[in-house]
Amino acid sequence: MTGPVVGIIANPVSARDIRRIISHAGNLQITDRANILLRILAGLAATGVAQVVMMPENAGIYGHLRRGLERATNAGEARFPALQLLDMRVCGDASDSATAARMMRKMNVGAIIVLGGDGTHRVVVAEAGAVPVAGVSTGTNNAFPEMREPTVTGLAVGLAVTGAVPAGTAFVGNKRLDVAINDRQEIALVDVAIVSERFVGSRAVWKAEGFRELFVAFAEPGAIGLSAIAGLVAPVKRGSPFGRRLIFDDPARAPLRVAAPIAPGLIEDIGIARVETLDFDVPTALTVGSGSVALDGEREITFSERDRISVTLREAAFRTVDVAACMSCAARDGLFTRQSQITHWEVNNERESISAG
């Protein structure tokens, strides 16, 4: 392939966890995901991206997308890049996102656009290496991917990968939480929660009575999910040079209590014993000896007193496309504006008439 190539990962298993049942989260249909992709592709094409590679799936997203592209072609609307599916086996789970991200990294794509929530983005970032990621919120909890119109995300990614916006402006480094459990290494983009239950089960974390500790890379007051607890007590910006650690306690005896939206439509009273600051590159041991570790809201690992476990905040650990910065640069440099000679002449002529009067 020649020219900048953009990868797209839209895993249909994203946002299919138990929180969709016990809370009031919506369910994004396959046709809606295909329409989101069409808007992204339109944005990419408008900035000169001619080639896109996409993760295959078995739920029908690509079928709906292909029909949309065919309708545009038949109508004479040549405004979409060429789309190619990766040659990979589809397993129908989160491993598809990981496989696709690895393949795209080896292909040296300019960026990967991800449709999903915090969990899907975590899987992709873990395999993407130095390839920048751009998030589109379609998950249950969306603390990491910012809420934004997909067309604008497509425009910004196109500006970034084509070099229309300088790399120093287009891409930004992000904090990350590294979890070491004996010889195993895991990452989290937003939060690491320690819960008392020693099982993975449905994976999603929502029972507040089991919360023991929470580590956050960033925590915004308007967020949804576990990071919202810290966001309402001790907010941390994405660019702040530190993170937070919260130690939980029974709300009945804790010195501080907060009502936090830990899932869509699910607001729980959380007792907080204390809040600490996390510095970069300092491994932090847990206060509890056994339980489970939830990475970005999903239980992944169980541990006991025999295990060695620590959490470390890392600086600029992976890159994302700074959509706001890309669009601001485009506006400042007039990347989307065109000078019209007719309009220019009419304006000048009108000014001359006013002056003459």
Side-chain angles (χ1 to χ4, degrees):
M1 291 185 177
T2 58
V5 181
V6 172
I8 293 179
I9 295 177
N11 197 328
V13 304
S14 174
R16 290 184 181 176
D17 60 58
I18 195 170
R19 288 169 296 185
R20 295 267 157 173
I21 300 173
I22 56 93
S23 70
H24 301 286
N27 188 18
L28 198 65
Q29 301 299 314
I30 295 300
T31 53
D32 295 324
R33 296 174 194 243
N35 287 333
I36 287 173
L37 292 174
L38 282 170
R39 284 136 67 186
I40 291 171
L41 292 175
L44 291 172
T47 53
V49 175
Q51 301 174 87
V52 171
V53 293
M54 178 176 163
M55 184 195 85
E57 39 73 42
N58 293 329
I61 297 176
Y62 178 70
H64 285 287
L65 179 59
R66 186 182 67 249
R67 285 189 286 275
L69 294 173
E70 290 173 353
R71 284 194 297 271
T73 300
N74 294 335
E77 300 174 1
R79 58 186 182 91
F80 295 108
L83 182 62
Q84 175 185 332
L85 291 179
L86 293 174
D87 183 12
M88 56 173 273
R89 183 171 68 92
V90 176
C91 298
D93 55 28
S95 68
D96 293 334
S97 300
T99 300
R102 283 195 300 271
M103 293 180 68
M104 291 174 182
R105 183 190 71 221
K106 293 177 181 178
M107 294 173 64
N108 198 31
V109 299
I112 300 174
I113 299 176
V114 184
L115 274 65
D118 298 336
T120 302
H121 284 80
R122 178 178 65 83
V123 170
V124 173
V125 167
E127 300 293 343
V131 178
V133 170
V136 177
S137 300
T138 61
T140 305
N141 284 356
N142 299 283
F144 179 74
E146 297 176 321
M147 299 296 291
R148 185 176 281 109
E149 163 55 36
T151 310
V152 176
T153 299
L155 288 169
V157 171
L159 292 169
V161 301
T162 59
V165 172
T169 300
F171 306 117
V172 62
N174 296 259
K175 293 179 284 185
R176 187 184 73 197
L177 292 163
D178 289 359
V179 182
I181 304 175
N182 300 325
D183 295 327
R184 179 175 176 176
Q185 299 288 328
E186 296 287 351
I187 69 168
L189 310 186
V190 183
D191 54 62
V192 174
I194 310 301
V195 298
S196 59
E197 297 91 348
R198 288 194 59 191
F199 59 88
V200 173
S202 60
R203 299 171 67 89
V205 174
W206 80 94
K207 294 182 178 180
E209 62 269 21
F211 295 175
R212 295 295 177 265
E213 297 186 41
L214 180 68
F215 299 80
V216 295
F218 66 91
E220 298 168 332
I224 193 79
L226 301 184
S227 70
I229 303 170
L232 293 172
V233 174
V236 185
K237 295 180 179 179
R238 291 176 187 250
S240 297
F242 58 88
R244 299 283 193 208
R245 179 197 195 184
L246 277 63
I247 308 298
F248 298 123
D249 199 355
D250 187 332
R253 62 172 180 264
L256 180 64
R257 188 171 66 183
V258 61
I262 63 172
L266 184 61
I267 302 170
E268 293 285 337
D269 276 343
I270 311 295
I272 300 173
R274 65 179 187 270
V275 179
E276 302 172 353
T277 297
L278 283 179
D279 295 321
F280 290 126
D281 303 323
V282 179
T284 302
L286 307 183
T287 61
V288 295
S290 64
S292 299
V293 179
L295 307 172
D296 292 325
E298 298 181 350
R299 279 191 298 262
E300 295 285 343
I301 311 154
T302 60
F303 65 95
S304 70
E305 292 80 359
R306 297 187 300 272
D307 296 309
R308 305 183 313 276
I309 179 168
S310 65
V311 180
T312 307
L313 181 67
R314 302 297 187 189
E315 182 181 15
F318 65 99
R319 294 193 299 164
T320 54
V321 176
D322 191 332
V323 176
C326 286
M327 300 308 292
S328 294
C329 182
R332 182 195 66 209
D333 296 344
L335 299 182
F336 291 114
T337 60
R338 300 290 184 272
Q339 184 66 53
S340 171
Q341 292 182 350
I342 295 177
T343 303
H344 181 67
W345 178 85
E346 289 177 343
V347 170
N348 285 342
N349 188 49
E350 183 178 353
R351 287 174 178 170
E352 291 173 0
S353 298
I354 293 173
S355 298

